[in-house]
């Protein structure tokens, strides 16, 4: 009878292990510790821009898996000025497979970032065939832009609320030229040489 108990416990342990493996995110970038590091990096970049005259900031997550850049610029449209903000996430090309850098992971990271920044609309998201994800959002007035810059990201222990999908967006893939594309002569592309 003891062997039945040992066999039953073995199946129970295997079942628990299988359940955890099945329910954990496929990308290590989506594990809670990585998301905490991403949040702290966003918090630091936001504070850097808030307290400086610069319109850009760059930083890496504490685990050096991801580099973030944050930049904003203004555009004059007739009598109005709009502000375009961009947050780009980049990972090393050689880590695309090991970090599970696919559209599912990118969509979840986008939800996390826009929830952390409390942005729900006027956004567009692009990815490239290289390891870059670009999140753009627009502020239609100077006061919206200033209000966003002045707002700090609070310290957060529980990041579960930031994982929930709240905004609607599509991730558009931008094709980047290959080395072969760059070596094609202008005449071969249907262009005249300068």
């Amino acid at each position: 009878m003891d062997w039945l108990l040992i066999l039953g416990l073995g199946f129970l342990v295997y079942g628990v292990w299988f359940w955890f493996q099945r329910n954990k995110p496929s990308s290590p970038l989506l594990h809670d510790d990585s998301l905490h590091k991403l949040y702290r990096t966003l918090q630091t970049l936001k504070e850097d821009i808030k307290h400086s005259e610069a319109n850009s900031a760059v930083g890496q997550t504490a685990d050096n898996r991801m580099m973030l850049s944050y930049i904003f610029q203004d555009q004059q449209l007739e009598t109005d000025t709009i502000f375009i903000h961009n947050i780009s996430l980049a990972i090393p090309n050689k880590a695309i497979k090991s970090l599970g850098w696919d559209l599912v992971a990118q969509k979840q990271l986008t939800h996390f970032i826009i929830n952390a920044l409390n942005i729900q609309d006027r956004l567009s998201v692009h990815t490239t065939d290289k390891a870059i994800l670009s999140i753009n959002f627009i502020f239609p007035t100077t006061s919206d832009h200033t209000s966003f810059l002045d707002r700090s990201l609070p310290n957060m222990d529980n990041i579960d609320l930031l994982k929930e999908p709240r905004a609607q967006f599509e991730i558009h893939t931008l094709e980047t030229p290959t080395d072969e594309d760059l070596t094609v002569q202008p005449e071969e592309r249907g262009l005249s040489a300068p």
Side-chain angles (χ1 to χ4, degrees):
M1 283 312 254
D2 288 339
W3 66 272
L4 281 175
L5 180 62
I6 292 171
L7 185 64
L9 285 174
F11 279 126
L12 180 64
V13 168
Y14 176 75
V16 168
W17 175 85
F18 181 77
W19 183 84
F20 276 114
Q21 292 301 316
R22 190 164 185 239
N23 289 315
K24 77 175 188 177
S26 59
S27 171
L29 297 172
L30 299 172
H31 294 175
D32 283 354
D33 61 331
S34 290
L35 291 176
H36 275 287
K37 291 170 184 164
L38 174 59
Y39 186 83
R40 284 193 291 278
T41 305
L42 276 173
Q43 195 176 34
T44 301
L45 293 180
K46 188 93 169 45
E47 288 300 312
D48 287 350
I49 287 182
K50 179 179 175 180
H51 297 296
S52 73
E53 296 294 318
N55 65 344
S56 65
V58 177
Q60 283 191 318
T61 55
D63 54 11
N64 292 326
R65 288 181 170 171
M66 189 181 304
M67 184 171 70
L68 278 74
S69 67
Y70 182 9
I71 188 168
F72 69 86
Q73 64 182 11
D74 60 325
Q75 293 286 322
Q76 190 69 34
L77 296 177
E78 297 175 9
T79 60
D80 298 326
T81 302
I82 63 169
F83 293 86
I84 302 166
H85 290 241
N86 172 272
I87 293 181
S88 293
L89 290 76
I91 64 169
N93 284 339
K94 61 185 178 188
I96 290 173
K97 189 171 184 176
S98 65
L99 293 178
W101 188 254
D102 58 12
L103 284 176
V104 172
Q106 291 174 20
K107 191 161 193 167
Q108 290 174 317
L109 286 169
T110 302
H111 278 296
F112 182 82
I113 289 170
I114 63 178
N115 288 340
L117 296 174
N118 197 21
I119 303 293
Q120 301 302 321
D121 56 3
R122 297 186 303 265
L123 62 98
S124 66
V125 185
H126 299 89
T127 187
T128 66
D129 53 352
K130 304 296 182 196
I132 299 172
L133 176 67
S134 178
I135 304 167
N136 304 292
F137 44 98
I138 297 172
F139 293 109
T141 66
T142 303
S143 63
D144 289 341
H145 163 74
T146 305
S147 171
F148 176 76
L149 286 182
D150 290 342
R151 188 175 52 205
S152 295
L153 296 182
N155 289 328
M156 182 165 289
D157 293 326
N158 184 4
I159 58 169
D160 289 335
L161 293 176
L162 300 179
K163 297 178 191 177
E164 296 176 10
R166 295 184 202 152
Q168 296 291 324
F169 59 86
E170 294 289 326
I171 297 181
H172 303 280
T173 302
L174 302 174
E175 297 296 325
T176 56
T178 63
D179 291 339
E180 186 178 295
D181 293 338
L182 296 175
T183 59
V184 173
Q185 296 301 316
E187 299 84 23
E188 295 176 34
R189 288 184 275 172
L191 303 172
S192 59

